[in-house]
């Protein structure tokens, strides 16, 4: 069955947001008590696994389904349910939905549950108008059968997808263009399956590069030459920025769904290896840095950190490269394990397993680049990992808000408490500032020293720069257009002062559309901050450039090729972990 293109609401899934639930509020249907819409938008991202890839297994005691009904149910499940309940229905941020649980409940019970939802966050698919009565009955029956299982994806499949478009010995020996690469931006064009490379000096698009579906992140090699981008469909594209017109030089698929990629940064291993983490199958893959040749595949299936229960689908949420050892820091969502993967000898791989907290998501380094701060966002926790001594320092819970979603976070010096790392939240309006200096500010280290109140819940990213005195906070998933079309900015030197609201979408001067504002990103010098104004695929979008010092409009980048721009990554800042 061919899937329909996802709408702008489903497009929010780039940041693990729930598609289609967004329409419930617009239709003024009943909502869930105690479950804000911004939280519903976040949970349950559609997965890019095609329904025909997952083969069904009939369960004798379950109600019968036709082949067409099975196909329809798989489509609905992968697009609307798998992100929360897991591809295998074993449970993730949502509860397990396996036949041992669903068969005793029966079809009528499951129909009511799907129709009306629950206060715990289960969407009201029927009463919100998103699923028809026939769809609800089909899903109620489908959930009583064994879960369809997508195929594994090993070395054979990876090598079949792997292409070296231009071998290393045929590539430029030096930079062949005149672009200031250190101030180049890689901008995700979500719905067109591309990235736009934009010159930060001229504000012009220098290249549109074909990629996988819905690029999640862009990462730089340590040398600053190669750009790695990974789509949600687990396709990695290696882009050579030295070419006269930067373009792909290698491509590979490391699975059916993924989020994370990074490259080796430790001295002596610069550009040697790349690593990618997959959602399906649950594993990570180490590759050659300049060709993407797959070298080592390691499964992440294992036991949860708290209850020590086996989990068959622990997804790799985020990966960063250590600055203290030849290691990758691999964060496994469902088990709550952080893996310090030593790549000095990949044939005799050494992995240090650090039990942190479920459910790991994203995070970033503190200013010293020694401590990795990662959100266990369904546990309202920030885990602090010492990448020098390879151990857990602290699970910061007190003062952390609901569903922290830091992106990489923001590092700055609080005038009262010293160096801090900050995160905003999806579930509430707070911004938590965590002390990060255990030597000169020991009393403040690894605790929330200050909580700011921003515009509201639904924040995806927070950002500052070492040369800036501003702290920018978006609210992309907030249900209010007035809030999601603007950002809050705090004065770092006067954090007791109220935030200022900057109406980014209004400054873009666009026509109709949701115009969601997402992800502040600085230029290299830290005097500009860029925002995506994310519209529908058939509507005009833009990049708004703000003068960081004056907080006033500096430039608007408009181009018909800017289709649903979302994440932006400045080459220098990404290369050097500046945030």
């Amino acid at each position: 069955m061919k899937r329909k293109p996802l709408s702008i609401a489903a497009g929010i899934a780039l940041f693990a947001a729930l598609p289609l639930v967004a329409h419930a509020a617009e239709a003024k249907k009943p909502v869930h008590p105690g479950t804000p819409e911004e939280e519903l938008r976040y949970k349950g991202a559609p997965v890019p696994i095609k329904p025909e890839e997952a083969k069904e297994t009939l369960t004798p005691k379950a109600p019968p389904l036709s082949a067409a009904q099975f196909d329809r149910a798989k489509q609905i499940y992968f697009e609307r349910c798998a992100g929360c309940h897991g591809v295998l229905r074993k449970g993730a941020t949502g509860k397990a939905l396996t036949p041992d649980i669903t068969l005793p409940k029966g079809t009528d019970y499951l129909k009511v549950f799907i129709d009306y939802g629950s206060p715990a966050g289960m969407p009201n698919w029927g009463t919100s108008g998103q699923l028809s009565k026939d769809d609800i009955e089909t899903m109620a029956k489908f959930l009583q059968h064994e879960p369809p299982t997508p195929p594994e994806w090993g070395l054979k499949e990876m090598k079949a997808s792997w292409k070296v478009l231009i071998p290393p010995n045929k590539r430029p020996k030096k930079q062949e263009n005149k672009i200031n690469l250190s101030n180049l931006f890689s901008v995700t064009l979500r719905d067109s399956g591309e990235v736009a490379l934009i010159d930060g000096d001229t504000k012009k698009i220098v290249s549109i590069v074909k990629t996988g579906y819905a690029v999640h992140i862009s990462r730089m090699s340590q040398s600053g030459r190669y750009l790695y981008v990974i789509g949600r469909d687990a396709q990695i594209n290696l882009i050579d920025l030295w070419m006269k017109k930067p373009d792909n030089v290698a491509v590979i698929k490391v699975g059916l769904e993924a989020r994370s990629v990074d490259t080796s940064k430790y001295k002596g291993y610069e550009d040697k290896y790349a690593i990618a983490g997959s959602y399906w199958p649950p594993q990570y893959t180490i590759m050659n840095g300049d060709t993407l040749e797959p070298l080592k595949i390691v499964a992440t299936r294992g036991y949860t950190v708290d209850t020590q229960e086996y989990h068959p689908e622990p997804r790799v949420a985020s990966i960063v490269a250590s600055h203290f050892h030849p290691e990758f820091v691999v964060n496994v969502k469902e088990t709550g394990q952080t893996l310090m993967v030593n790549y000095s000898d990949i044939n005799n791989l050494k992995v240090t397993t650090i039990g942190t907290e479920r459910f790991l998501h994203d995070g970033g380094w503190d200013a010293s680049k020694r401590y990795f701060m990662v959100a266990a966002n369904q546990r309202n926790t920030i885990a602090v990992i010492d990448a020098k001594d390879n151990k857990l320092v602290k699970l910061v819970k007190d003062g952390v808000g609901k569903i922290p979603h830091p992106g990489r976070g923001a590092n700055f010096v609080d005038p009262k408490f010293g160096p801090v790392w900050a995160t905003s939240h999806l579930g509430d309006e707070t911004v938590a500032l965590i002390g990060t200096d255990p030597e000169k500010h020991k009393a403040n280290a690894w605790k929330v020293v200050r909580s700011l109140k921003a515009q509201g819940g639904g924040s995806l990213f927070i950002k500052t720069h070492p040369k800036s005195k501003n702290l920018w906070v978006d609210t992309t998933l907030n249900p209010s257009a007035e809030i999601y079309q603007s950002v809050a900015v705090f004065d770092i030197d006067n954090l007791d002062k109220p935030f200022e609201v900057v109406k980014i979408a209004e400054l873009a001067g666009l026509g109709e559309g949701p115009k969601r504002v997402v992800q502040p990103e600085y230029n290299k010098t830290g005097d500009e901050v860029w925002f995506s104004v994310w519209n529908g695929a058939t509507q005009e979008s833009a990049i708004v450039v703000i003068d960081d010092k004056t907080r006033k409009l500096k430039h608007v980048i408009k181009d018909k090729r800017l289709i649903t721009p979302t994440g932006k990554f400045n080459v220098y800042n990404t290369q050097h972990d500046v945030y």
Side-chain angles (χ1 to χ4, degrees):
M1 179 179 287
K2 188 176 181 181
R3 290 198 289 177
K4 297 179 181 178
L6 296 177
S7 65
I8 183 64
I12 295 170
L14 168 62
F15 303 106
L18 178 66
L20 306 176
V21 169
H23 298 311
E26 296 166 4
K28 300 187 184 302
K29 298 291 184 180
V31 294
H32 304 294
T35 307
E37 186 185 341
E38 55 266 36
E39 184 176 341
L40 291 178
R41 286 176 180 268
Y42 171 70
K43 291 180 176 180
V47 304
I49 297 172
K50 297 174 183 177
E52 60 269 23
E53 291 175 323
K55 303 304 180 185
E56 57 264 18
T57 302
L58 296 174
T59 302
K61 295 182 180 180
L65 284 174
S66 68
Q69 288 174 318
F70 243 115
D71 284 344
R72 174 61 178 160
K74 286 190 291 184
Q75 177 189 359
I76 292 171
Y77 186 80
F78 287 142
E79 289 187 355
R80 308 188 187 192
C81 314
C84 198
H85 297 283
V87 169
L88 300 179
R89 304 208 317 248
K90 296 288 187 179
T93 54
K95 294 182 179 180
L97 295 172
T98 46
D100 59 311
I101 298 170
T102 55
L103 268 172
K105 298 291 186 184
T107 302
D108 289 340
Y109 174 92
L110 293 170
K111 283 168 61 177
V112 172
F113 191 70
I114 296 167
D115 197 359
Y116 290 94
S118 78
M122 170 70 180
N124 51 333
W125 295 112
T127 58
S128 66
Q130 303 309 313
L131 292 181
S132 67
K133 289 184 178 180
D134 286 345
D135 282 339
I136 290 172
E137 181 155 359
T138 296
M139 290 304 295
K141 293 177 179 179
F142 168 78
L143 293 177
Q144 297 173 70
H145 288 269
E146 287 294 328
T149 304
E152 298 294 322
W153 196 268
L155 188 64
K156 177 183 176 181
E157 291 79 11
M158 288 186 196
K159 286 204 168 181
S161 73
W162 171 51
K163 296 177 183 178
V164 179
L165 306 173
I166 303 177
N169 61 357
K170 300 291 185 181
R171 297 174 194 168
K173 306 302 181 188
K174 61 180 180 179
Q175 185 178 339
E176 293 183 345
N177 56 61
K178 296 183 180 180
I179 305 167
N180 177 11
L181 293 181
S182 64
N183 199 33
L184 186 70
F185 286 76
S186 174
V187 181
T188 295
L189 305 181
R190 186 193 186 281
D191 290 336
S192 65
E194 299 169 317
V195 293
L197 302 181
I198 302 180
D199 188 323
D201 295 344
T202 66
K203 313 296 189 292
K204 302 294 185 183
I205 296 175
V206 299
S207 186
I208 300 287
V209 182
K210 284 290 181 183
T211 63
Y213 166 70
V215 163
H216 193 245
I217 57 172
S218 298
R219 290 291 179 261
M220 289 304 307
S221 66
Q222 184 62 21
S223 67
R225 174 178 183 170
Y226 290 116
L227 174 68
Y228 300 77
V229 300
I230 189 165
R232 293 188 65 246
D233 58 358
Q235 179 173 306
I236 303 172
N237 289 73
L238 177 61
I239 301 168
D240 187 352
L241 300 181
W242 280 11
M243 295 170 63
K244 188 173 182 179
K245 184 178 181 181
D247 206 344
N248 289 311
V249 293
V251 64
I252 192 173
K253 272 179 67 72
V254 293
L256 299 180
E257 184 180 12
R259 296 294 189 280
S260 51
V261 67
D262 214 329
T263 68
S264 51
K265 293 185 175 181
Y266 190 69
K267 187 176 181 180
Y269 295 89
E270 298 93 335
D271 296 17
K272 184 173 182 178
Y273 295 120
I275 185 172
S278 302
Y279 269 29
W280 185 268
Q283 61 195 28
Y284 59 88
T285 305
I286 299 175
M287 299 157 282
N288 267 331
D290 59 357
T291 66
L292 299 182
E293 178 186 7
L295 303 174
K296 189 81 170 182
I297 306 169
V298 182
T300 55
R301 293 178 171 102
Y303 290 82
T304 59
V305 67
D306 46 6
T307 58
Q308 300 287 293
E309 293 176 279
Y310 179 76
H311 199 293
E313 194 187 338
R315 301 171 286 183
V316 178
S318 59
I319 300 175
V320 294
S322 172
H323 298 269
F324 284 87
H325 304 287
E327 291 179 338
F328 294 117
V329 185
V330 178
N331 297 282
V332 186
K333 185 184 289 281
E334 277 74 25
T335 56
Q337 307 283 3
T338 296
L339 312 177
M340 313 299 283
V341 179
N342 190 301
Y343 52 76
S344 60
D345 181 358
I346 64 170
N347 291 320
N348 298 284
L349 199 66
K350 295 179 181 178
V351 180
T352 301
T353 302
I354 302 174
T356 49
E357 175 65 287
R358 304 171 74 191
F359 298 79
L360 298 178
H361 191 65
D362 205 356
W365 297 107
D366 79 307
S368 74
K369 298 181 176 62
R370 173 174 176 173
Y371 300 99
F372 184 64
M373 319 283 287
V374 60
N377 56 18
Q378 293 298 327
R379 295 287 175 87
N380 306 332
T381 297
I382 298 295
V384 183
I385 298 157
D386 185 342
K388 182 179 180 181
D389 292 341
N390 281 7
K391 64 180 183 180
L392 176 67
V393 177
K394 183 76 177 291
L395 293 178
V396 183
K397 296 178 179 288
D398 292 342
V400 174
K402 189 175 183 182
I403 314 180
H405 193 286
R408 288 295 186 102
N411 288 299
F412 57 93
V413 177
D414 184 294
K416 181 177 180 180
F417 299 105
V420 296
W421 177 90
T423 180
S424 52
H425 302 83
L426 276 153
D428 64 37
E429 75 278 14
T430 64
V431 176
L433 277 54
I434 299 172
T436 59
D437 182 4
E439 295 184 5
K440 296 181 180 179
H441 298 81
K442 187 175 181 179
N444 300 329
W446 321 130
K447 62 179 67 173
V448 175
V449 295
R450 192 193 295 263
S451 182
L452 309 175
K453 284 194 175 182
Q455 289 198 90
S459 175
L460 291 176
F461 296 101
I462 183 172
K463 193 62 68 81
T464 189
H465 187 277
K467 295 183 180 179
S468 173
K469 293 298 182 183
N470 288 323
L471 177 65
W472 300 85
V473 185
D474 71 18
T475 38
T476 312
L477 300 188
N478 195 281
S480 167
E482 183 179 359
I483 293 176
Y484 70 63
Q485 292 181 356
S486 61
V487 296
V489 55
F490 292 88
D491 181 348
I492 289 173
D493 288 337
N494 298 279
L495 290 170
D496 292 328
K497 288 174 54 178
F499 59 82
E500 178 185 346
V501 175
V502 180
K503 298 181 178 180
I504 301 293
E506 184 178 300
L507 296 173
L510 300 174
E512 293 182 350
K515 299 187 285 287
R516 293 188 179 274
V517 175
V518 62
Q519 200 203 31
E521 175 75 350
Y522 276 86
N523 63 345
K524 177 186 176 182
T525 56
D527 58 4
E528 292 176 356
V529 58
W530 293 33
F531 294 90
S532 295
V533 183
W534 173 17
N535 233 343
T538 60
Q539 298 164 320
E540 187 180 33
S541 294
I543 304 292
V544 172
V545 182
I546 298 292
D547 184 304
D548 184 67
K549 186 175 182 180
T550 66
R551 304 179 180 179
K552 304 298 182 184
L553 177 66
K554 186 171 183 179
H555 194 87
V556 178
I557 303 172
K558 292 183 180 179
D559 191 296
K560 64 181 181 181
R561 296 172 292 174
L562 283 179
I563 300 169
T564 56
T566 49
K568 300 165 299 304
F569 303 88
N570 174 269
V571 164
Y572 181 88
N573 294 338
T574 304
Q575 177 186 357
H576 296 281
D577 291 319
V578 177
Y579 36 85

